Amino acid sequence: MIRLNENYSKLKASYLFADIAKRVNAYVAAHPDKPVIRLGIGDVTEPLPPVCVEALHAATDEMANRATFKGYGPEQGYAFLREAIAQHDYAARGCEISADEIFISDGSKCDCGNIQEIFATDVRLAIPDPVYPVYVDTNVMAGRTGANVDGRYQGITYLDCTPANGYVPAIPGVATDLIYLCFPNNPTGAVATREQLAAWVAYAKANKAIILFDSAYEAYIRDPQIPRSIFEIPGAREVAIEFRSFSKTAGFTGTRCAYTVVPKSLMAYDAAGAAHPVHALWNRRHTTKFNGVAYPIQKAAAAIYTPAGKQQTGDLINFYLANAKLIREAMTKLGFTCIGGDNAPYIWVNTGRDSWEFFDLLLNKAQVVCTPGAGFGKCGEGHVRISAFNSRANVETALARIAAALK
Amino acid sequence: MIRLNENYSKLKASYLFADIAKRVNAYVAAHPDKPVIRLGIGDVTEPLPPVCVEALHAATDEMANRATFKGYGPEQGYAFLREAIAQHDYAARGCEISADEIFISDGSKCDCGNIQEIFATDVRLAIPDPVYPVYVDTNVMAGRTGANVDGRYQGITYLDCTPANGYVPAIPGVATDLIYLCFPNNPTGAVATREQLAAWVAYAKANKAIILFDSAYEAYIRDPQIPRSIFEIPGAREVAIEFRSFSKTAGFTGTRCAYTVVPKSLMAYDAAGAAHPVHALWNRRHTTKFNGVAYPIQKAAAAIYTPAGKQQTGDLINFYLANAKLIREAMTKLGFTCIGGDNAPYIWVNTGRDSWEFFDLLLNKAQVVCTPGAGFGKCGEGHVRISAFNSRANVETALARIAAALK
C-alpha cells in the first residue's frame, strides 16, 4: 500500500492569499463601480528592462539557428552568468565569492525550499516571525517540526520581530543549527546593520550553525552603511548560504531566474562530527534534481550587469522606492508607526488594531488591498504590509483614498 | 552543530558521464586531427521549431510592454498551456485528463526527482535496471534505500530488463508500493504493449501501489498499437502519475518545459489506511517549492499544439527517427542484436562484450562516442546506447567509421 508523507497533514493550510482573494472578489462583485487598487501581493508591475528584452530576442534567434542552438546547459548555470554575478555582485563589493560557488536557478522560492534537503531531519531550526511561509512549510513537509499548536509549530525556535526590537530579531538564548534570515525583510522591510549581521555570524560560528540568508531584496538598499550581502561580514564564508533573485531587481517574477551562493569553505557535520563541504552536497542535489535555467533567460539575466542594464534596473528600483517613500510618508502622516520602504519595497504599518480588521477597513472604505500581517505569523498581528509595486498614479490614488477613509 | 543528510553518503558517485568526458577529452587531446562524433548524451541538436521561435519573440514583446507584462503566473502553469495539453495530448487520444490535473514545470528531471517527497520514506520501491539514474538517486537521498552493495542499493526491487524479456521487465513476484516505469525507455528504446501496461496497472491496483510513468519520449512512438500514455489503459487514473517533457518533442532541452499529470482519482494512504488524494499533496508541494515556468517559455510550448507546430515537431521527430533507423540498420548489419530506434531516439546494442571495452573501441577506432550500458545499471552491462540526436551527415559518417572499425 502506497503511503503518503504524513508530515503534510501537519501543515496549516495557508488561507492568507486565498482569504484575501475571496474578500476582494466579494467586494468587487458587490461594487462593480468602485475600482480596487492592489498593493497586497509583492509582484512587480513594470515591464522588463530593455536590455533584457533585447537579450531575450537575441538568444531566441540563437535558438533558431543550428550553429548557435543550445541544448542542455550546465545544471549550475552558464559561466557567462556566474562570472558576471561573481564580479558585479561580489568582487565589486569586496566579497570573496568565486563563480563556481554560484548556482543559477529558476527562483529563490525553489532554492529556499530545496536547501533544507541536504541537512539532517533533526537539526534545530531558528525562523523569524513574521516570515515568508516557504521557510517554515518546507521544514514541516520534511518532518523537522511537531504539530502546529496555537499558530506555531513545535520544534522551531521562533525569532520574534517586534516593535520593541525594531523588527530585527535578537540572537536566541539557545543553540540552533539552521537559521533563516531575510534582509531587507519580507514582509517588514526591515534591514540589518553590519553589527547585527556580525552578531549572527558570531552566533552561527559559536554553534557550528548555518545561516540561510535570503537577500532577494538587496537591490533596494540605498543606505550605504547597510550590507547588501551576508558575505560582507568577515567569517560569513564559514557559516552562510545566500539566496538572491532577479525577480525584484529586474522584474523577473514572470521570467524566472535566481541564484544561490554556497561557499566552498562552508561545512556540515556527520554524526561522528567529521566535517563535509556543503558545496559538494548542494552540487549533488542541484545536478540530480534540476536541469538548468533556459538559455535565453540566462542571457537576459546577464544583460542586467552591462552598464545599460545597471542603469535600467537602477531606474526601475528607484521608481518603486519612490512609490515606497510616498506610502511610508502618507501612512506616517496618518499617525501610524511604519518601517520599511526606505531600503525595501514593503512598508510595514503598525495599525494598532487587528490586522484583518484594518485590511477590511482599507478594502471597504478606500478600495485598497493590503496584506494582513497576521498571515505572516503571530508577530505580524497588529500590522499590515503595503507593497510599492504599482504605477505612480495607482499609488497616489490609493493613498488619497486611504487618507480620506481614515480621516 | 549543523548535521548533513547522511543518506547522500550512500550515493555511488555517478562517474558515467564524467568518465566518458575524461576519456573523450584525452582522446581528442592526443589526436587533434581526428574529429570525434558524439552519439552519447541524449541531447537534441536541431534548432527550435519556427512556431516556438515566433512565440518566444511575441511573448518577449509582451514582457516589454506594461499593459501586457506578466509577473507571477499560476505555479501550476497558465490555463492556455494546460488546456492545450489536455485537449491535444489526452482528449484527442481518448484519455480522460482535465487541465487542472496537469502541472507545468521546468523539466521532467525535476518532476521525477521531486515526486517521491510526497510519499512516506519507507514505501517499497520497484525500479528498472538499466535506468535513468534520477529515479534511484533521489530515493537514496531521501533515505528509502540501504547501502549500495555490489552495484545495487539494498531495499529496492530491481526490475531487470534483459534480452530474455525483450527489455520489458516482468511484474515482480513481491508487493511494492512505488513503481518507476519509462516507455519508450531511456536507455533501451524499448516500448511496452497495451497488454504489458495493462498488467502493470492491474498489479498496481492489486497492491494499492502507484506507477510513476515517464513518457518523455512518447512523441517518438510510430507504431499505432503502442500506447503513448499510461492513461490509455483503463483504470490507470486510479494508479498512475505521468511525466512528459517538451525536451525531446520540440527540442526544449535548453528551453526547459515539461509537465506532470496527477489524476484527481489517485489516492495514497495514511498509516491508519485512510485514502487521501495525491493531487492535493502534489499541488501543495508544487505551489510551496516552485514558482511557475517563465511566461515566454509557456507560450513557446503552447505553440507546439497549433497545426503548424504539430507539423514542425512531427518533422523534427521524423528527422531524428530516420537517423535512428540508419543506426539500427547499420549495427544490425554488423551482426549486433539491437532494440529501440523504431519508436525511440535510442538504439540499445547488445555488444556481447564489456560495455566500456566496446565504448573504447568505438572511440579509438571510429572516433564515435556512445554510452556504455553499464553506466545505467547492472543489466546494462554488455550493451551500449547510441543516440540518434545529431545531423544526418554526422550519423552517416559515424556509421561508416564504425563499419570500417569493426570489419
Side-chain angles (χ1 to χ4, degrees), chain A residues 170-394:
Chain A
I171 306 287
V174 296
T176 58
D177 305 313
L178 195 60
I179 304 145
Y180 289 77
L181 294 178
C182 173
F183 294 110
N185 190 261
N186 174 18
T188 71
V191 288
T193 63
R194 194 169 300 274
E195 294 65 36
Q196 286 168 327
L197 292 181
W200 278 106
V201 167
Y203 168 79
K205 205 158 218 170
N207 289 284
K208 287 190 172 178
I210 287 181
I211 295 169
L212 301 174
F213 193 76
D214 183 347
S215 63
Y217 296 93
E218 59 79 29
Y220 288 77
I221 295 175
R222 285 293 173 269
D223 180 341
Q225 298 304 314
I226 300 293
R228 290 170 67 157
S229 166
I230 189 78
F231 298 118
E232 293 183 38
I233 309 300
R237 279 184 58 87
E238 279 69 49
V239 297
I241 290 171
E242 181 160 286
F243 305 102
R244 287 204 183 175
S245 168
F246 299 105
S247 285
K248 310 301 163 72
T249 303
F252 267 48
T253 53
T255 305
R256 315 299 318 138
C257 197
Y259 62 89
T260 290
V261 181
V262 185
K264 290 191 179 163
S265 44
L266 182 69
M267 297 290 157
Y269 301 86
D270 62 27
H276 299 262
V278 174
H279 185 277
L281 281 170
W282 182 246
N283 190 61
R284 189 60 156 97
R285 195 274 167 209
H286 195 77
T287 56
T288 301
K289 300 193 185 180
F290 185 64
N291 230 337
V293 171
Y295 172 74
I297 307 286
Q298 291 192 59
K299 289 297 279 187
I304 295 166
Y305 295 99
T306 59
K310 286 182 184 185
Q311 179 70 47
Q312 289 168 15
T313 53
D315 291 349
L316 189 61
I317 293 162
N318 283 338
F319 169 77
Y320 289 129
L321 280 172
N323 282 349
K325 188 163 185 277
L326 291 176
I327 295 167
R328 180 159 170 173
E329 283 173 357
M331 296 308 289
T332 303
K333 203 171 154 193
L334 288 169
F336 298 104
T337 306
C338 302
I339 63 152
D342 41 3
N343 295 294
Y346 299 124
I347 296 87
W348 190 240
V349 182
N350 189 338
T351 62
R353 70 191 95 173
D354 180 272
S355 67
W356 275 108
E357 182 191 317
F358 194 79
F359 168 90
D360 283 333
L361 189 152
L362 291 200
L363 176 61
N364 291 306
K365 297 253 174 104
Q367 297 83 49
V368 172
V369 182
C370 65
T371 309
F376 297 106
K378 288 193 93 159
C379 293
E381 184 50 273
H383 297 75
V384 297
R385 185 187 79 177
I386 304 182
S387 155
F389 295 120
N390 216 315
S391 68
R392 182 65 40 80
N394 277 346

Side-chain angles (χ1 to χ4, degrees), chain A residues 145-164:
Chain A
T145 71
N148 189 298
V149 178
D150 194 22
R152 287 190 157 183
Y153 291 97
Q154 294 175 318
I156 293 178
T157 296
Y158 284 91
L159 305 172
D160 289 353
C161 306
T162 64

Side-chain angles (χ1 to χ4, degrees), chain A residues 117 284-285 288-289, chain B residues 11 109-110 112-117 125 127 133-145 180:
Chain A
E117 290 180 28
R284 189 60 156 97
R285 195 274 167 209
T288 301
K289 300 193 185 180
Chain B
L11 286 167
K109 184 183 185 182
C110 317
C112 288
N114 293 332
I115 195 80
Q116 45 78 30
E117 290 179 28
L125 301 169
I127 302 184
V134 170
Y135 309 158
V136 177
D137 290 357
T138 55
N139 279 293
V140 175
M141 291 169 170
R144 284 194 191 83
T145 72
Y180 289 77

Side-chain angles (χ1 to χ4, degrees), chain A residues 3 6 61 109 122 271 287, chain B residues 3 6 57 109 122 271 287:
Chain A
R3 277 177 310 100
E6 293 198 39
D61 286 336
K109 184 183 184 182
D122 57 354
T287 56
Chain B
R3 277 178 310 99
E6 292 198 38
H57 279 307
K109 184 183 185 182
D122 57 353
T287 56

Side-chain angles (χ1 to χ4, degrees), chain A residues 1-6 8 11-12 14 42-48 53 56-57 60-61 63-66 69-72 75 106 109-110 113-114 116-120 122-124 134 137-138 141 177-178 207-210 248 251 253-256 267-271 273 276 281 284-285 287-297 390-391, chain B residues 1-6 8 11-12 14 42-48 53 56-57 60-61 63-66 69-72 75 106 109-110 113-114 116-120 122-124 134 137-138 141 177-178 207-210 248 251 253-256 267-271 273 276 281 284-285 287-297 390-391:
Chain A
M1 185 177 76
I2 180 75
R3 277 177 310 100
L4 52 88
N5 174 350
E6 293 198 39
Y8 276 61
L11 286 167
K12 257 202 94 158
S14 175
D43 194 6
V44 296
T45 56
E46 304 310 302
L48 282 186
V53 171
L56 277 173
H57 280 306
T60 297
D61 286 336
M63 299 298 269
N65 182 331
R66 194 186 193 282
F69 175 78
K70 300 283 185 299
Y72 290 122
E75 287 103 339
D106 65 329
K109 184 183 184 182
C110 316
N114 293 332
Q116 45 77 30
E117 290 180 28
I118 61 174
F119 301 110
D122 57 354
V123 297
R124 295 164 297 180
V134 170
D137 289 358
T138 57
M141 291 169 169
D177 305 313
L178 195 60
N207 289 284
K208 287 190 172 178
I210 287 181
K248 310 301 163 72
T253 53
T255 305
R256 315 299 318 138
M267 297 290 157
Y269 301 86
D270 62 27
H276 299 262
L281 281 170
R284 189 60 156 97
R285 195 274 167 209
T287 56
T288 301
K289 300 193 185 180
F290 185 64
N291 230 337
V293 171
Y295 172 74
I297 307 286
N390 216 315
S391 68
Chain B
M1 185 177 75
I2 180 75
R3 277 178 310 99
L4 52 88
N5 174 351
E6 292 198 38
Y8 276 61
L11 286 167
K12 257 201 94 159
S14 176
D43 193 6
V44 297
T45 56
E46 303 309 303
L48 282 186
V53 171
L56 277 173
H57 279 307
T60 297
D61 286 336
M63 299 298 269
N65 182 331
R66 194 186 193 282
F69 175 78
K70 301 282 186 299
Y72 291 122
E75 288 103 339
D106 65 329
K109 184 183 185 182
C110 317
N114 293 332
Q116 45 78 30
E117 290 179 28
I118 62 173
F119 301 111
D122 57 353
V123 297
R124 295 164 298 182
V134 170
D137 290 357
T138 55
M141 291 169 170
D177 305 313
L178 195 59
N207 289 283
K208 287 190 172 176
I210 287 181
K248 310 303 162 73
T253 54
T255 305
R256 315 299 318 136
M267 297 291 157
Y269 301 86
D270 62 26
H276 300 262
L281 281 170
R284 188 60 156 98
R285 195 274 167 209
T287 56
T288 302
K289 299 192 186 181
F290 185 65
N291 230 339
V293 171
Y295 172 75
I297 307 287
N390 216 315
S391 68

Side-chain angles (χ1 to χ4, degrees), chain B residues 42-162:
Chain B
D43 193 6
V44 297
T45 56
E46 303 309 303
L48 282 186
V51 289
C52 300
V53 171
E54 287 155 28
L56 277 173
H57 279 307
T60 297
D61 286 336
E62 286 186 70
M63 299 298 269
N65 182 331
R66 194 186 193 282
T68 51
F69 175 78
K70 301 282 186 299
Y72 291 122
E75 288 103 339
Q76 302 93 337
Y78 280 100
F80 65 76
L81 179 54
R82 301 172 89 190
E83 284 162 8
I85 292 167
Q87 182 189 339
H88 296 278
D89 285 346
Y90 292 102
R93 299 191 64 83
C95 302
E96 179 205 344
I97 294 294
S98 64
D100 64 355
E101 295 176 323
I102 295 163
F103 295 80
I104 310 300
S105 83
D106 65 329
S108 279
K109 184 183 185 182
C110 317
D111 290 343
C112 288
N114 293 332
I115 195 80
Q116 45 78 30
E117 290 179 28
I118 62 173
F119 301 111
T121 49
D122 57 353
V123 297
R124 295 164 298 182
L125 301 169
I127 302 184
D129 177 355
V131 73
Y132 178 52
V134 170
Y135 309 158
V136 177
D137 290 357
T138 55
N139 279 293
V140 175
M141 291 169 170
R144 284 194 191 83
T145 72
N148 189 298
V149 178
D150 194 23
R152 286 190 157 184
Y153 291 97
Q154 294 175 317
I156 294 178
T157 295
Y158 284 91
L159 305 172
D160 290 353
C161 305
T162 65

